[in-house]
Amino acid sequence: MTSDDVLVRLTAVDKRFTKSKETITIFEKLDLAIASGDFIAVMGPSGSGKTTLLNLLGGIDRPSAGEIRFAGERIDGLPESRLAHWRAGHIGFIFQFYNLMPMLTAAQNVELPLLLTSLGGKDRRRRVEAALAVVNLADRARHYPREMSGGQQQRVAIARAVVADPGLLLCDEPTGDLDRSNADEILEVLRLLNREMGKTIVMVTHDPAAAKYAKRTLHLDKGRFSERDLAA
Amino acid sequence: MRSLLLQIAATIKINLKSLPQRFWLSLSTVVAVGLVVVVLLSFLAMANGFRQAVKGSGSEDIAIVLRGGSRSELNSTISRDQIRLIEEAPGVARNAEGKPLVSAELYLVVDGLKRATGTKANLPLRGIGPMGAALRKSITLAQGRMFEPGSNEIVVGKGLLAEYRGFELGSTVKFGTTRWTVVGVFEAGGSVFESEIWADLPVVQSLFNRTNFFQTVRARLTGPQAIAALKRYNDEDPRLKLDVKTENEYFADQSSNTTDLIQKLGWPLAIAMAFGALAGALNTMYSSVAARTVEIATLRAIGFGAFPAFVGTLVESLVLSALGGVLGAGATFVFFHGLTASTLGESFTQVVFSFTLTPALALQGIVLALVVGLVGGLFPAIRAARLPIVAGLQG
């Protein structure tokens, strides 16, 4: 991997929490390079730091030490307002429980990230329709989350994550709340986004079957990676 | 800037559309704020109604003359000689026959029974001469006729008839040892005179042993500016040394103490209740932030700023309190506006008045509600803005 290929680089990242005067170390001197267009599954036991890694990559948490660069730009020291702006432009989040706004329709949920852009109403609607079409939910645009199955809600969440065309998708157990059939549908969509649209994806999962959709799997345990390439 | 406005609009929409999920808690805040507004506005409507009843009685071109230093008609005395001097004073208007338009009057307290409670109350009995009714504005007979001079007849105000027993047309009432027949009911445009009983001055003087005794003099002026000439005349003649005021000034003085008292009771009570409503609003809004933790954190993760989260929560609080304010103003209008009541005036007699809620008063109530909403929403809004995203996503 050349330095030009690297989308995200973590260098000597430490992450510590203080709880009841006790300091808990999650990562110590963690290094990681994620190439543009990669699809990585991150697996590991509970408490191994998988979600913390996603939070650091997504700029919603900060390292205790070390640096995080995205497309060469250091992001770990950005003030919160600039970090929020950076997230809006570069990151798409997909959560285990979808995190849709229950009082908004599918289209209104998908539109939310576009409110952070300079697009006008007509362009926003066009982008929302396209994003819903990608996840095969064009006909459910006016439906509320409560009127959709779990798999459909997660597809709306994926449409929301990609609608602003971010470079990096961060998926936290995206199939953790779904049955096998729905999970496979979601994973197919993610694979499509990676292969056809060139999205870089980092997916945390406990499910080995889900990890098989990724190009490679990183095993995280006690703050360290052991890499096995499952793409072959 | 456009993006920020869109974020704020979206956050407000999400907050307001999520209200049904917290329906009962939100409703309790609306009702609590509404009750505060009802308490405040009922007091203000009461004070306003009293002020309008008293102030509405006065006229710019009628002078009222009392003994020097008298606060009210009840403790004033004026001699017959002084009345003659006033009749000759500059600025006093005269009729076609050249007679001065002056009414010397006697003002006494008699007992009456309240319809609502059956309790005794002081009612004003006014002895007036032939000019008495003509020197008051908007006096019309609603029922019956005017009393006959020299007879034991009385006419009563419409407000007094509504609030007190035994004054129906044709009935007989007893004041002290004498009996009086009600021969008429008059209207006076809702003014304080509608709380009075009128009878012929010489009869009242005779039956109450107050011969040659007067308490006030009313005089029609040639114009509003003539009051200055009358005052100067009074000041310069050592035989007078009376208090001369226009009716407007007199009734403004009369109403100020009572309206101040009502308002001084109303505002502190409403503010004390507002603290209770504030606690309710804080509880509701903290609950709202807690219920929307994941939503707020998700929006922040997507890239929404902290300020829209702050504004969204604050607007939710303001909307709830504004609803409470409108509800309270509406309830006050429905249940209190026009309600007739009576209270003790400056002359220790009952003044009948109607609660009067005006748009300006309603606005004061809504402003108080918004203050409750602003303070009640401020701290929860700060919490929403400072919510750590990672902790929020964990719920």
Side-chain angles (χ1 to χ4, degrees):
Chain A
M1 194 189 309
T2 67
S3 62
D4 286 350
D5 296 335
V6 175
L7 181 67
V8 190
R9 186 183 294 281
L10 276 67
T11 307
V13 166
D14 291 356
K15 183 63 188 176
R16 290 181 289 273
F17 294 107
T18 304
K19 198 174 182 184
S20 309
K21 293 181 183 171
E22 188 187 351
T23 302
I24 301 163
T25 301
I26 307 293
F27 303 128
E28 200 167 355
K29 305 290 180 204
L30 185 77
D31 295 319
L32 174 66
I34 299 170
S36 188
D38 209 348
F39 185 170
I40 299 173
V42 180
M43 299 187 74
S46 296
S48 59
K50 302 185 298 294
T51 299
T52 303
L53 176 66
L54 279 196
N55 293 341
L56 290 171
L57 290 172
I60 57 175
D61 202 355
R62 293 173 191 272
S64 308
E67 66 174 54
I68 301 172
R69 288 183 181 272
F70 184 94
E73 182 194 5
R74 190 165 173 181
I75 59 152
D76 55 273
L78 292 177
E80 179 48 40
S81 58
R82 282 192 58 197
L83 205 53
H85 187 69
W86 172 83
R87 284 196 300 270
H90 297 99
I91 305 294
F93 284 99
I94 298 164
F95 304 97
Q96 180 178 359
F97 298 108
Y98 333 126
N99 290 23
L100 299 176
M101 305 295 139
M103 68 297 296
L104 301 183
T105 63
Q108 288 168 336
N109 268 288
V110 174
E111 191 188 14
L112 287 171
L114 298 179
L115 301 178
L116 306 164
T117 68
S118 57
L119 291 175
K122 205 180 263 181
D123 288 335
R124 291 202 303 271
R125 276 192 293 281
R126 206 176 298 138
R127 293 277 285 268
V128 168
E129 285 168 16
L132 284 170
V134 167
V135 295
N136 205 20
L137 280 178
D139 57 334
R140 309 301 294 268
R142 289 169 185 270
H143 288 228
Y144 287 90
R146 62 178 177 274
E147 297 165 342
M148 289 186 268
S149 69
Q152 287 171 328
Q153 289 187 55
Q154 191 60 297
R155 282 194 273 155
V156 173
I158 292 172
R160 182 180 66 187
V162 300
V163 72
D165 198 22
L168 179 62
L169 297 184
L170 300 173
C171 315
D172 192 1
E173 301 272 10
T175 58
D177 196 42
L178 302 174
D179 59 28
R180 185 74 264 154
S181 158
N182 274 310
D184 286 341
E185 274 185 30
I186 295 300
L187 291 162
E188 281 298 343
V189 172
L190 291 179
R191 182 145 65 184
L192 176 85
L193 291 170
N194 175 249
R195 286 186 179 167
E196 306 295 323
M197 299 171 76
K199 299 293 174 199
T200 306
I201 300 175
V202 179
M203 173 177 70
V204 163
T205 183
H206 278 107
D207 179 8
K212 285 181 182 169
Y213 283 82
K215 289 179 179 170
R216 62 179 175 134
T217 300
L218 300 177
H219 288 268
L220 194 56
D221 193 12
K222 294 175 185 168
R224 292 179 184 280
F225 286 121
S226 64
E227 188 171 339
R228 298 174 219 166
D229 189 354
L230 298 181
Chain B
M1 188 63 189
R2 187 167 164 273
S3 167
L4 182 65
L5 292 176
L6 285 172
Q7 288 178 57
I8 290 170
T11 314
I12 290 171
K13 184 177 179 182
I14 289 167
N15 277 41
L16 296 183
K17 287 189 86 170
S18 69
L19 277 175
Q21 293 166 15
R22 302 179 296 283
F23 179 78
W24 292 109
L25 196 59
S26 302
L27 184 67
S28 70
T29 300
V30 170
V31 171
V33 173
L35 286 174
V36 171
V37 172
V38 167
V39 168
L40 175 69
L41 291 186
S42 57
F43 271 93
L44 293 184
M46 190 193 302
N48 187 45
F50 182 82
R51 188 190 302 115
Q52 286 193 6
V54 177
K55 270 191 173 174
S57 312
S59 172
E60 277 290 298
D61 60 357
I62 299 285
I64 182 161
V65 183
L66 301 166
R67 186 189 68 190
S70 296
R71 281 277 303 153
S72 67
E73 293 181 77
L74 200 62
N75 48 26
S76 169
T77 52
I78 295 180
S79 69
R80 193 176 287 277
D81 291 340
Q82 287 174 319
I83 291 167
R84 282 200 200 97
L85 288 169
I86 293 164
E87 285 173 343
E88 291 163 9
V92 173
R94 293 173 180 276
N95 64 13
E97 293 130 33
K99 285 187 177 174
L101 297 173
V102 169
S103 170
E105 298 176 358
L106 187 61
Y107 186 91
L108 301 168
V109 175
V110 294
D111 286 341
L113 288 177
K114 285 193 173 185
R115 282 186 192 276
T117 59
T119 52
K120 269 190 184 180
N122 291 343
L123 303 181
L125 170 65
R126 187 183 292 278
I128 60 172
M131 299 281 187
L135 287 180
R136 288 169 173 83
K137 61 181 180 184
S138 312
I139 302 290
T140 54
L141 274 170
Q143 298 174 41
R145 59 172 173 79
M146 200 60 181
F147 56 78
E148 286 289 335
S151 68
N152 284 24
E153 291 178 346
I154 55 173
V155 292
V156 299
K158 193 177 128 190
L160 184 134
L161 175 64
E163 284 288 303
Y164 297 93
R165 290 180 193 167
F167 291 98
E168 289 75 17
L169 187 67
S171 57
T172 303
V173 289
K174 193 175 175 188
F175 300 142
T177 56
T178 54
R179 290 193 166 277
W180 301 74
T181 305
V182 181
V183 296
V185 177
F186 64 89
E187 290 179 1
S191 73
V192 71
F193 299 121
E194 283 191 4
S195 309
E196 293 185 349
I197 304 162
W198 289 354
D200 186 38
L201 174 67
V203 177
V204 176
Q205 284 176 317
S206 166
L207 293 177
F208 285 87
N209 297 321
R210 284 173 171 77
T211 315
N212 284 331
F213 186 91
F214 305 89
Q215 281 165 299
T216 56
V217 176
R218 273 182 167 71
R220 183 171 297 285
L221 300 170
T222 50
Q225 63 277 26
I227 189 72
L230 182 58
K231 280 182 177 175
R232 200 163 45 247
Y233 171 78
N234 172 64
D235 293 342
E236 288 169 358
D237 191 327
R239 293 169 294 177
L240 289 170
K241 299 298 177 195
L242 303 169
D243 279 348
V244 178
K245 296 174 181 175
T246 64
E247 260 192 344
N248 270 359
E249 288 170 341
Y250 173 74
F251 285 120
D253 287 350
Q254 292 277 297
S255 70
S256 63
N257 283 350
T258 306
T259 51
D260 283 357
L261 180 68
I262 295 170
Q263 286 181 338
K264 280 172 187 166
L265 280 173
W267 271 107
L269 189 61
I271 287 169
M273 283 188 70
F275 277 105
L278 188 62
L282 279 168
N283 183 37
T284 301
M285 294 316 301
Y286 274 128
S287 301
S288 165
V289 172
R292 292 182 298 105
T293 298
V294 175
E295 290 166 16
I296 294 167
T298 302
L299 289 173
R300 299 291 313 283
I302 287 172
F304 277 55
F307 187 63
F310 173 86
V311 175
T313 305
L314 199 58
V315 168
E316 180 185 338
S317 178
L318 288 171
V319 165
L320 290 179
S321 57
L323 281 175
V326 171
L327 182 78
T332 309
F333 185 80
V334 169
F335 296 112
F336 291 100
H337 181 74
L339 184 75
T340 306
S342 65
T343 190
L344 212 56
E346 287 281 311
S347 297
F348 303 105
T349 55
Q350 295 289 314
V351 175
V352 180
F353 63 95
S354 296
F355 283 56
T356 309
L357 182 66
T358 61
L361 291 183
L363 191 65
Q364 284 188 47
I366 291 169
V367 167
L368 177 67
L370 289 174
V371 169
V372 170
L374 184 71
V375 180
L378 188 64
F379 298 103
I382 291 170
R383 178 178 283 185
R386 289 183 174 172
L387 183 77
I389 301 173
V390 173
L393 287 172
Q394 289 163 356

